[in-house]
């Protein structure tokens, strides 16, 4: 095999380059699956978490506070407004598994409940601030 590589340096370099590109493409395409696997590992360890990205809604701090205090679900911000497709796929895969596991554990949709309560609390605070 070494003789082949020595005798065909350009071909060997092209093959190595093709393999590297294939690995990078595979890594990008596997983002959702990697997210799901990471969530399964966290859930098995008893860690419930959601990954958030993008521009936050005004009531998100209250939402994350309610999730943490009521259910022990943590939030991890993984990106701001600029999000790669790979990171988005990873977060979606992770959240799909993590959220289903948390809802199964607590017997209802803790995310929808917390979001509704957070919106209600935020609106109540806004109405008391108006002169």
């Amino acid at each position: 095999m070494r003789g082949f590589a020595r005798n065909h340096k350009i071909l060997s370099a092209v093959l190595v380059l093709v393999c590297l590109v294939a690995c990078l493409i595979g890594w990008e395409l596997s983002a959702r699956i990697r997210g799901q696997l990471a969530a399964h590992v966290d859930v098995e360890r008893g860690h419930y978490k959601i990954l958030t990205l993008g521009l936050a809604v005004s009531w998100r701090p209250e939402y994350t506070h309610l999730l943490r205090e009521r259910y022990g679900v943590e939030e991890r911000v993984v990106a701001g407004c600029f999000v790669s497709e790979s990171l988005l796929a990873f977060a979606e895969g992770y959240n799909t598994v993590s959220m289903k596991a948390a809802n199964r554990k607590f017997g209802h949709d803790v995310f929808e409940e917390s979001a509704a309560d957070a919106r209600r609390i935020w609106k109540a605070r806004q109405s008391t601030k108006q002169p």
Side-chain angles (χ1 to χ4, degrees):
M1 185 68 170
R2 283 191 207 177
F4 178 84
R6 276 191 217 128
N7 294 334
H8 300 90
K9 290 179 183 176
I10 293 175
L11 179 60
S12 297
V14 169
L15 287 173
V16 168
L17 186 61
V18 167
C19 288
L20 288 174
V21 169
C23 288
L24 289 173
I25 290 172
W27 185 255
E28 291 293 313
L29 294 176
S30 69
R32 184 173 187 85
I33 294 168
R34 288 185 288 113
Q36 291 170 338
L37 290 172
H40 281 294
V41 169
D42 284 348
V43 167
E44 285 298 316
R45 294 172 47 215
H47 298 147
Y48 294 88
K49 179 172 40 179
I50 56 169
L51 305 181
T52 58
L53 36 78
L55 185 62
V57 293
S58 54
W59 44 267
R60 186 163 92 186
E62 188 63 38
Y63 172 67
T64 57
H65 174 76
L66 292 173
L67 282 173
R68 184 177 54 254
E69 293 301 312
R70 291 177 179 174
Y71 306 106
V73 175
E74 298 292 328
E75 173 199 39
R76 180 168 168 228
V77 178
V78 294
C81 294
F82 297 102
V83 181
S84 69
E85 287 184 37
S86 175
L87 183 56
L88 180 61
F90 182 92
E92 287 175 343
Y94 186 97
N95 288 343
T96 298
V97 171
S98 184
M99 292 171 83
K100 282 182 182 177
N103 288 338
R104 195 171 39 252
K105 177 181 179 180
F106 297 108
H108 65 285
D109 191 340
V110 300
F111 301 96
E112 182 56 41
E113 173 194 77
S114 297
D117 290 348
R119 284 189 298 265
R120 186 178 36 73
I121 292 167
W122 184 83
K123 285 180 184 178
R125 284 187 185 149
Q126 295 305 306
S127 65
T128 60
K129 287 182 181 180
Q130 295 179 9

Tab-separated table of all heavy atoms in Angstrom, residues 26-61:
chain	number	residue	atom	x	y	z
A	26	GLY	N	-20.803	14.167	6.083
A	26	GLY	CA	-21.486	13.220	6.973
A	26	GLY	C	-21.720	13.807	8.347
A	26	GLY	O	-22.771	13.613	8.953
A	27	TRP	N	-20.750	14.554	8.847
A	27	TRP	CA	-20.891	15.194	10.159
A	27	TRP	C	-22.033	16.204	10.134
A	27	TRP	O	-22.848	16.254	11.050
A	27	TRP	CB	-19.573	15.874	10.535
A	27	TRP	CG	-19.572	16.450	11.906
A	27	TRP	CD1	-19.670	17.777	12.229
A	27	TRP	CD2	-19.486	15.752	13.151
A	27	TRP	NE1	-19.638	17.937	13.592
A	27	TRP	CE2	-19.520	16.706	14.175
A	27	TRP	CE3	-19.372	14.406	13.474
A	27	TRP	CZ2	-19.458	16.360	15.520
A	27	TRP	CZ3	-19.304	14.072	14.820
A	27	TRP	CH2	-19.351	15.040	15.824
A	28	GLU	N	-22.116	16.996	9.078
A	28	GLU	CA	-23.192	17.983	8.954
A	28	GLU	C	-24.557	17.297	8.837
A	28	GLU	O	-25.522	17.709	9.455
A	28	GLU	CB	-22.960	18.885	7.735
A	28	GLU	CG	-21.791	19.817	7.869
A	28	GLU	CD	-21.996	20.871	8.927
A	28	GLU	OE1	-23.066	21.492	8.958
A	28	GLU	OE2	-21.063	21.073	9.728
A	29	LEU	N	-24.619	16.246	8.030
A	29	LEU	CA	-25.892	15.561	7.809
A	29	LEU	C	-26.353	14.769	9.025
A	29	LEU	O	-27.539	14.468	9.154
A	29	LEU	CB	-25.789	14.638	6.591
A	29	LEU	CG	-25.602	15.340	5.245
A	29	LEU	CD1	-25.423	14.314	4.142
A	29	LEU	CD2	-26.763	16.274	4.945
A	30	SER	N	-25.436	14.444	9.912
A	30	SER	CA	-25.800	13.645	11.083
A	30	SER	C	-26.162	14.493	12.297
A	30	SER	O	-26.360	13.957	13.383
A	30	SER	CB	-24.649	12.703	11.447
A	30	SER	OG	-23.541	13.450	11.951
A	31	ALA	N	-26.281	15.796	12.133
A	31	ALA	CA	-26.493	16.691	13.271
A	31	ALA	C	-27.749	16.326	14.068
A	31	ALA	O	-27.724	16.291	15.303
A	31	ALA	CB	-26.570	18.140	12.795
A	32	ARG	N	-28.843	16.065	13.396
A	32	ARG	CA	-30.094	15.734	14.091
A	32	ARG	C	-29.933	14.441	14.901
A	32	ARG	O	-30.345	14.369	16.059
A	32	ARG	CB	-31.248	15.612	13.108
A	32	ARG	CG	-32.577	15.363	13.789
A	32	ARG	CD	-33.734	15.421	12.805
A	32	ARG	NE	-34.981	15.332	13.502
A	32	ARG	CZ	-35.632	16.352	14.053
A	32	ARG	NH1	-35.128	17.559	13.978
A	32	ARG	NH2	-36.769	16.177	14.690
A	33	ILE	N	-29.319	13.454	14.314
A	33	ILE	CA	-29.110	12.178	15.008
A	33	ILE	C	-28.177	12.368	16.195
A	33	ILE	O	-28.406	11.820	17.277
A	33	ILE	CB	-28.564	11.122	14.024
A	33	ILE	CG1	-29.626	10.806	12.965
A	33	ILE	CG2	-28.122	9.859	14.743
A	33	ILE	CD1	-29.104	10.012	11.791
A	34	ARG	N	-27.113	13.165	16.004
A	34	ARG	CA	-26.201	13.428	17.124
A	34	ARG	C	-26.920	14.143	18.257
A	34	ARG	O	-26.698	13.847	19.429
A	34	ARG	CB	-25.004	14.248	16.644
A	34	ARG	CG	-24.047	13.447	15.783
A	34	ARG	CD	-22.794	14.218	15.395
A	34	ARG	NE	-23.079	15.261	14.411
A	34	ARG	CZ	-22.989	16.575	14.634
A	34	ARG	NH1	-22.608	17.020	15.802
A	34	ARG	NH2	-23.272	17.436	13.672
A	35	GLY	N	-27.830	15.066	17.919
A	35	GLY	CA	-28.618	15.755	18.934
A	35	GLY	C	-29.512	14.785	19.700
A	35	GLY	O	-29.626	14.849	20.922
A	36	GLN	N	-30.131	13.884	18.984
A	36	GLN	CA	-30.992	12.893	19.623
A	36	GLN	C	-30.188	11.990	20.551
A	36	GLN	O	-30.621	11.695	21.677
A	36	GLN	CB	-31.714	12.058	18.567
A	36	GLN	CG	-32.742	12.838	17.786
A	36	GLN	CD	-33.282	12.075	16.593
A	36	GLN	OE1	-32.652	11.145	16.087
A	36	GLN	NE2	-34.452	12.494	16.117
A	37	LEU	N	-29.016	11.556	20.102
A	37	LEU	CA	-28.171	10.703	20.939
A	37	LEU	C	-27.718	11.437	22.198
A	37	LEU	O	-27.722	10.869	23.291
A	37	LEU	CB	-26.962	10.206	20.141
A	37	LEU	CG	-27.257	9.193	19.046
A	37	LEU	CD1	-26.008	8.928	18.215
A	37	LEU	CD2	-27.790	7.905	19.633
A	38	ALA	N	-27.329	12.699	22.050
A	38	ALA	CA	-26.900	13.489	23.211
A	38	ALA	C	-28.044	13.634	24.217
A	38	ALA	O	-27.829	13.536	25.433
A	38	ALA	CB	-26.414	14.862	22.763
A	39	ALA	N	-29.258	13.835	23.723
A	39	ALA	CA	-30.415	13.956	24.616
A	39	ALA	C	-30.693	12.642	25.332
A	39	ALA	O	-31.010	12.644	26.524
A	39	ALA	CB	-31.639	14.404	23.825
A	40	HIS	N	-30.584	11.532	24.628
A	40	HIS	CA	-30.796	10.231	25.270
A	40	HIS	C	-29.806	10.018	26.403
A	40	HIS	O	-30.172	9.527	27.476
A	40	HIS	CB	-30.684	9.088	24.257
A	40	HIS	CG	-31.908	8.894	23.414
A	40	HIS	ND1	-33.120	8.480	23.938
A	40	HIS	CD2	-32.106	9.065	22.088
A	40	HIS	CE1	-34.005	8.402	22.969
A	40	HIS	NE2	-33.423	8.752	21.836
A	41	VAL	N	-28.558	10.407	26.185
A	41	VAL	CA	-27.541	10.278	27.228
A	41	VAL	C	-27.907	11.144	28.433
A	41	VAL	O	-27.866	10.689	29.582
A	41	VAL	CB	-26.139	10.662	26.692
A	41	VAL	CG1	-25.132	10.800	27.816
A	41	VAL	CG2	-25.669	9.633	25.671
A	42	ASP	N	-28.299	12.402	28.179
A	42	ASP	CA	-28.670	13.294	29.279
A	42	ASP	C	-29.895	12.788	30.037
A	42	ASP	O	-29.925	12.802	31.267
A	42	ASP	CB	-28.934	14.710	28.761
A	42	ASP	CG	-27.652	15.459	28.447
A	42	ASP	OD1	-26.569	14.986	28.839
A	42	ASP	OD2	-27.735	16.522	27.802
A	43	VAL	N	-30.898	12.340	29.316
A	43	VAL	CA	-32.123	11.841	29.957
A	43	VAL	C	-31.816	10.604	30.805
A	43	VAL	O	-32.320	10.470	31.926
A	43	VAL	CB	-33.219	11.556	28.901
A	43	VAL	CG1	-34.367	10.757	29.497
A	43	VAL	CG2	-33.720	12.864	28.301
A	44	GLU	N	-30.987	9.716	30.291
A	44	GLU	CA	-30.612	8.526	31.057
A	44	GLU	C	-29.898	8.905	32.358
A	44	GLU	O	-30.000	8.198	33.351
A	44	GLU	CB	-29.718	7.604	30.218
A	44	GLU	CG	-30.464	6.831	29.161
A	44	GLU	CD	-31.508	5.889	29.737
A	44	GLU	OE1	-31.215	5.193	30.731
A	44	GLU	OE2	-32.629	5.865	29.205
A	45	ARG	N	-29.195	10.018	32.347
A	45	ARG	CA	-28.503	10.490	33.548
A	45	ARG	C	-29.419	11.333	34.438
A	45	ARG	O	-28.996	11.833	35.464
A	45	ARG	CB	-27.282	11.310	33.136
A	45	ARG	CG	-26.227	10.455	32.432
A	45	ARG	CD	-25.082	11.249	31.830
A	45	ARG	NE	-24.548	12.222	32.745
A	45	ARG	CZ	-24.072	13.415	32.389
A	45	ARG	NH1	-24.077	13.769	31.130
A	45	ARG	NH2	-23.580	14.241	33.280
A	46	GLY	N	-30.673	11.523	34.010
A	46	GLY	CA	-31.626	12.287	34.797
A	46	GLY	C	-31.534	13.786	34.594
A	46	GLY	O	-32.076	14.556	35.370
A	47	HIS	N	-30.865	14.215	33.527
A	47	HIS	CA	-30.720	15.639	33.225
A	47	HIS	C	-31.686	16.017	32.111
A	47	HIS	O	-31.586	15.492	30.998
A	47	HIS	CB	-29.292	15.965	32.793
A	47	HIS	CG	-28.288	15.689	33.849
A	47	HIS	ND1	-27.014	15.266	33.554
A	47	HIS	CD2	-28.345	15.756	35.197
A	47	HIS	CE1	-26.337	15.094	34.675
A	47	HIS	NE2	-27.133	15.378	35.681
A	48	TYR	N	-32.605	16.913	32.426
A	48	TYR	CA	-33.567	17.385	31.439
A	48	TYR	C	-33.190	18.810	31.075
A	48	TYR	O	-33.001	19.653	31.941
A	48	TYR	CB	-34.993	17.306	31.990
A	48	TYR	CG	-35.414	15.884	32.224
A	48	TYR	CD1	-35.161	15.247	33.437
A	48	TYR	CD2	-36.027	15.156	31.217
A	48	TYR	CE1	-35.518	13.926	33.643
A	48	TYR	CE2	-36.393	13.824	31.414
A	48	TYR	CZ	-36.132	13.224	32.632
A	48	TYR	OH	-36.487	11.924	32.820
A	49	LYS	N	-33.080	19.045	29.758
A	49	LYS	CA	-32.586	20.328	29.286
A	49	LYS	C	-33.225	20.622	27.943
A	49	LYS	O	-33.577	19.710	27.203
A	49	LYS	CB	-31.062	20.193	29.163
A	49	LYS	CG	-30.308	21.348	28.678
A	49	LYS	CD	-28.791	21.186	28.782
A	49	LYS	CE	-28.270	19.831	28.435
A	49	LYS	NZ	-26.803	19.723	28.525
A	50	ILE	N	-33.388	21.905	27.645
A	50	ILE	CA	-33.796	22.314	26.299
A	50	ILE	C	-32.708	23.230	25.749
A	50	ILE	O	-32.067	23.971	26.489
A	50	ILE	CB	-35.169	23.018	26.259
A	50	ILE	CG1	-35.215	24.236	27.179
A	50	ILE	CG2	-36.288	22.062	26.556
A	50	ILE	CD1	-36.436	25.108	26.987
A	51	LEU	N	-32.506	23.129	24.455
A	51	LEU	CA	-31.547	23.985	23.778
A	51	LEU	C	-32.318	25.091	23.070
A	51	LEU	O	-33.270	24.813	22.344
A	51	LEU	CB	-30.735	23.176	22.761
A	51	LEU	CG	-30.013	21.940	23.295
A	51	LEU	CD1	-29.232	21.259	22.175
A	51	LEU	CD2	-29.095	22.292	24.450
A	52	THR	N	-31.927	26.334	23.316
A	52	THR	CA	-32.626	27.453	22.688
A	52	THR	C	-31.662	28.228	21.807
A	52	THR	O	-30.453	28.236	22.029
A	52	THR	CB	-33.254	28.388	23.739
A	52	THR	OG1	-32.234	28.880	24.609
A	52	THR	CG2	-34.305	27.667	24.557
A	53	LEU	N	-32.231	28.872	20.814
A	53	LEU	CA	-31.448	29.682	19.892
A	53	LEU	C	-32.344	30.726	19.273
A	53	LEU	O	-33.560	30.663	19.387
A	53	LEU	CB	-30.810	28.795	18.821
A	53	LEU	CG	-31.581	27.590	18.285
A	53	LEU	CD1	-32.619	27.972	17.289
A	53	LEU	CD2	-30.621	26.587	17.730
A	54	GLY	N	-31.730	31.715	18.678
A	54	GLY	CA	-32.488	32.761	18.022
A	54	GLY	C	-32.885	33.873	18.982
A	54	GLY	O	-32.525	33.872	20.160
A	55	LEU	N	-33.616	34.822	18.460
A	55	LEU	CA	-34.079	35.962	19.232
A	55	LEU	C	-35.093	35.498	20.275
A	55	LEU	O	-36.061	34.818	19.949
A	55	LEU	CB	-34.709	36.998	18.300
A	55	LEU	CG	-35.154	38.301	18.917
A	55	LEU	CD1	-33.945	39.036	19.517
A	55	LEU	CD2	-35.824	39.175	17.878
A	56	ALA	N	-34.854	35.865	21.514
A	56	ALA	CA	-35.715	35.418	22.613
A	56	ALA	C	-36.997	36.239	22.669
A	56	ALA	O	-36.984	37.452	22.456
A	56	ALA	CB	-34.974	35.538	23.937
A	57	VAL	N	-38.100	35.572	22.985
A	57	VAL	CA	-39.352	36.280	23.232
A	57	VAL	C	-39.236	36.999	24.575
A	57	VAL	O	-38.419	36.634	25.425
A	57	VAL	CB	-40.564	35.317	23.227
A	57	VAL	CG1	-40.793	34.740	21.849
A	57	VAL	CG2	-40.400	34.222	24.246
A	58	SER	N	-40.041	37.990	24.780
A	58	SER	CA	-39.927	38.827	25.977
A	58	SER	C	-40.153	38.054	27.277
A	58	SER	O	-39.590	38.403	28.308
A	58	SER	CB	-40.908	39.991	25.886
A	58	SER	OG	-42.207	39.501	25.640
A	59	TRP	N	-40.939	37.011	27.245
A	59	TRP	CA	-41.252	36.270	28.460
A	59	TRP	C	-40.364	35.048	28.665
A	59	TRP	O	-40.577	34.276	29.591
A	59	TRP	CB	-42.730	35.850	28.473
A	59	TRP	CG	-43.229	35.307	27.165
A	59	TRP	CD1	-43.835	36.000	26.168
A	59	TRP	CD2	-43.144	33.950	26.707
A	59	TRP	NE1	-44.129	35.147	25.118
A	59	TRP	CE2	-43.721	33.882	25.424
A	59	TRP	CE3	-42.631	32.776	27.272
A	59	TRP	CZ2	-43.809	32.716	24.699
A	59	TRP	CZ3	-42.715	31.607	26.542
A	59	TRP	CH2	-43.299	31.592	25.264
A	60	ARG	N	-39.328	34.869	27.857
A	60	ARG	CA	-38.468	33.690	27.994
A	60	ARG	C	-37.773	33.575	29.356
A	60	ARG	O	-37.669	32.469	29.883
A	60	ARG	CB	-37.440	33.611	26.874
A	60	ARG	CG	-36.658	32.288	26.963
A	60	ARG	CD	-35.927	31.952	25.722
A	60	ARG	NE	-34.565	32.461	25.781
A	60	ARG	CZ	-33.719	32.418	24.779
A	60	ARG	NH1	-34.091	31.910	23.621
A	60	ARG	NH2	-32.510	32.888	24.894
A	61	PRO	N	-37.281	34.661	29.955
A	61	PRO	CA	-36.658	34.496	31.286
A	61	PRO	C	-37.623	33.881	32.312
A	61	PRO	O	-37.231	33.013	33.094
A	61	PRO	CB	-36.254	35.911	31.681
A	61	PRO	CG	-36.084	36.626	30.386
A	61	PRO	CD	-37.123	36.030	29.462
